[in-house]
Amino acid sequence: MNIKIVSDSSSDIFKLDGIDYASVPLKIITDQKEYIDTPDLDVDGMIDDLRKYKGTSKSSCPNMADWASAFGDSDGVFCVPITRNLSGSHNSASLAVEEFLEEHPDKKAYVVDTLSAGPGCAICVEKLCELIDSGLEFDGIKEELCRYQKSTHLHFCLESLRNFANNGRVSHATAKIAGVLGIRIIGKASDEGTLEIESKVRGSDKAIAEMYAKMKEYGYSGGKVRIHQCQNPEAADSLRSMILADFPNADIIIRTTGALCSFYAESGGFLVGYEGRER
């Protein structure tokens, strides 16, 4: 069976070698310009534009046709969208899968309820690659992935919550706290796929230490870590060094955020997906 993975661009993974894979782009839209989340986009330029822009901006999810066109002639498809509680991408993927199965009753398709974003989605994509390579049948892959997801977690550290507040993800009162006197916000993706603020710290070094403390609190013990940073490679490198000091064989990959994750993380923010204790 030819199995394909299709993720929306919130995973920050745009290409994979040795696997049938496609990325469906989300968009960032202002009154003046549209930014399509592809690997060709100048993300730093977008961030600079938005920093100067005084109007409203928002994110836009792929529609059903965008997802459907990415399925191609695959016999089986796994869709990996951002959490349904942050975007309509999951719903669009579900509609595309429904139509796909109606037209091809002999094929299989499944929408992963990631309850996550960024590196949390990336970890799911990577696990799917491993399971496909193992030779499991479609239903076996689905079963194993659902089991695996229970032990994955997402935390984030943000210097600004402006775009989150402007798009109704957090209150404006909460957003005002971030960035004041060097305050960083540490939060997580909840079990329902919403965003929860867990702590507030002052200064970058304390924020990185708090992030690592949260990871250990949720059961991190040397497994996979995926750090996606927005114009803050120093923080990502510092967190990696902190982890490797305790777990020299930890599997750590650092990526730069694409348009969607950069829009919400904003400059200086970073997100961490990792394997920990089962939820």
Side-chain angles (χ1 to χ4, degrees), residues 84-101:
R84 69 173 75 201
N85 282 309
L86 288 183
S87 169
S89 188
H90 184 283
N91 184 61
S92 295
S94 298
L95 292 173
V97 161
E98 183 179 334
E99 181 179 77
F100 178 75
L101 294 177

Side-chain angles (χ1 to χ4, degrees), residues 41-55:
L41 179 67
D42 177 5
V43 176
D44 288 335
M46 181 196 80
I47 293 170
D48 189 52
D49 289 347
L50 293 175
R51 187 182 292 115
K52 300 172 184 175
Y53 179 65
K54 303 302 181 182

Side-chain angles (χ1 to χ4, degrees), residues 97-161:
V97 161
E98 183 179 334
E99 181 179 77
F100 178 75
L101 294 177
E102 286 177 357
E103 294 178 355
H104 307 283
D106 58 322
K107 297 188 176 186
K108 291 181 177 289
Y110 177 68
V111 182
V112 180
D113 192 0
T114 63
L115 303 174
S116 196
C121 294
I123 279 185
C124 287
V125 169
E126 292 177 17
K127 186 63 175 181
L128 279 170
C129 292
E130 294 172 11
L131 293 171
I132 292 170
D133 285 343
S134 75
L136 278 175
E137 295 295 326
F138 190 94
D139 291 340
I141 293 172
K142 173 182 171 182
E143 183 179 338
E144 286 298 316
L145 180 68
C146 290
R147 183 180 298 115
Y148 175 75
Q149 280 186 272
K150 295 178 181 178
S151 62
T152 64
H153 303 267
L154 175 74
H155 273 81
F156 54 86
C157 174
L158 306 179
E159 295 182 15
S160 170
L161 292 172

Side-chain angles (χ1 to χ4, degrees), residues 250-272:
D251 177 1
I252 305 173
I253 294 177
I254 297 174
R255 296 185 177 98
T256 300
T257 49
L260 188 282
C261 287
S262 294
F263 178 67
Y264 285 114
E266 300 190 56
S267 183
F270 61 96
L271 304 90
V272 184

Side-chain angles (χ1 to χ4, degrees), residues 176-194:
K176 288 181 179 178
I177 297 171
V180 177
L181 298 176
I183 296 295
R184 269 70 168 178
I185 300 295
I186 308 294
K188 69 170 185 175
S190 72
D191 291 346
E192 294 75 38
T194 57

Side-chain angles (χ1 to χ4, degrees), residues 178-228:
V180 177
L181 298 176
I183 296 295
R184 269 70 168 178
I185 300 295
I186 308 294
K188 69 170 185 175
S190 72
D191 291 346
E192 294 75 38
T194 57
L195 299 179
E196 291 184 359
I197 306 301
E198 288 202 305
S199 57
K200 309 174 187 69
V201 297
R202 182 169 295 168
S204 178
D205 291 345
K206 289 183 179 179
I208 295 164
E210 176 72 3
M211 175 69 80
Y212 187 40
K214 287 294 181 185
M215 290 172 62
K216 291 191 287 187
E217 178 184 332
Y218 284 84
Y220 179 72
S221 58
K224 283 185 180 180
V225 182
R226 301 296 180 258
I227 307 170
H228 293 193

